[in-house]
């Protein structure tokens, strides 16, 4: 048997691809090239090759558990949960600026603290992000502000 990854003399190499089985479950060796990149000559097809398994929907309990783990991770990093449903959560990082305190400081310093107030107001903001678990169990994070 000849090695399919070694080019034969006088011919271009043919990269092995296997048809997707009728049940849609890939078997070992059932790989097709991703984005048309064959492996370099003499190497096994690892980088650039993906299994052809279709995505399958997961149960709502699996989606809830995935979201709970993602939210717990964000909370451990200092975020807070603004709202949450079964498969989506809005998280907030950062804090609100205490404008009353800065107004008092600005009046007490005859306006000098106003420059500092503007700098702090520009740098300190709340940032919102949406975390969603799609029907296939994939975690999607979108920055909202």
């Amino acid at each position: 048997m000849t090695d399919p990854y070694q080019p034969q003399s006088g011919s271009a190499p043919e990269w092995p691809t296997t048809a997707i089985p009728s049940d849609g479950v890939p078997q070992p060796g059932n790989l097709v090239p991703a984005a048309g990149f064959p492996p370099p000559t003499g190497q096994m097809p690892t980088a650039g090759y993906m299994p052809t398994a279709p995505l399958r929907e997961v149960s709502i309990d699996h989606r809830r558990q995935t979201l709970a783990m993602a939210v717990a991770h964000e909370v451990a990093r200092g975020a807070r949960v603004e709202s949450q449903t079964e498969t989506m959560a809005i998280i907030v990082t950062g804090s609100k600026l205490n404008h009353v305190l800065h107004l008092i400081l600005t009046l007490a310093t005859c306006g000098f603290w106003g420059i500092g107030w503007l700098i702090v107001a520009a740098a300190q903001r709340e940032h919102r992000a949406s975390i969603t678990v799609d029907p296939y169990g994939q975690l999607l994070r979108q920055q909202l502000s």
Side-chain angles (χ1 to χ4, degrees):
M1 180 176 183
T2 62
D3 184 3
Y5 301 107
Q6 296 296 330
Q8 304 300 318
S9 61
S11 67
E14 292 185 24
W15 303 106
T17 58
T18 307
I20 299 172
S22 59
D23 63 357
V25 179
Q27 300 300 319
N30 183 18
L31 301 173
V32 295
F37 295 107
T41 304
Q43 295 182 8
M44 293 301 293
T46 53
Y49 276 66
M50 301 172 24
T52 58
L55 294 174
R56 294 196 177 149
E57 289 190 17
V58 296
S59 68
I60 191 70
D61 291 331
H62 183 270
R63 292 172 67 189
R64 285 184 196 134
Q65 183 180 13
T66 303
L67 181 65
M69 289 189 308
V71 168
H73 176 73
E74 292 290 337
V75 169
R77 291 177 47 202
R80 7 180 242 290
V81 180
E82 188 174 68
S83 67
Q84 184 172 350
T85 64
E86 288 185 336
T87 60
M88 186 190 77
I90 304 293
I91 58 164
V92 181
T93 56
S95 61
K96 288 185 177 180
L97 189 62
N98 188 346
H99 290 290
V100 174
L101 172 67
H102 289 281
L103 176 63
I104 293 170
L105 287 172
T106 303
L107 294 174
T109 60
C110 298
F112 286 116
W113 182 247
I115 297 168
W117 185 2
L118 290 174
I119 293 170
V120 171
Q124 186 177 6
R125 292 186 178 178
E126 288 186 332
H127 300 282
R128 284 178 173 69
S130 167
I131 299 177
T132 307
V133 181
D134 71 2
Y136 304 104
Q138 295 179 331
L139 197 61
L140 309 168
R141 188 177 198 278
Q142 180 181 6
Q143 197 67 33
L144 300 175
S145 66

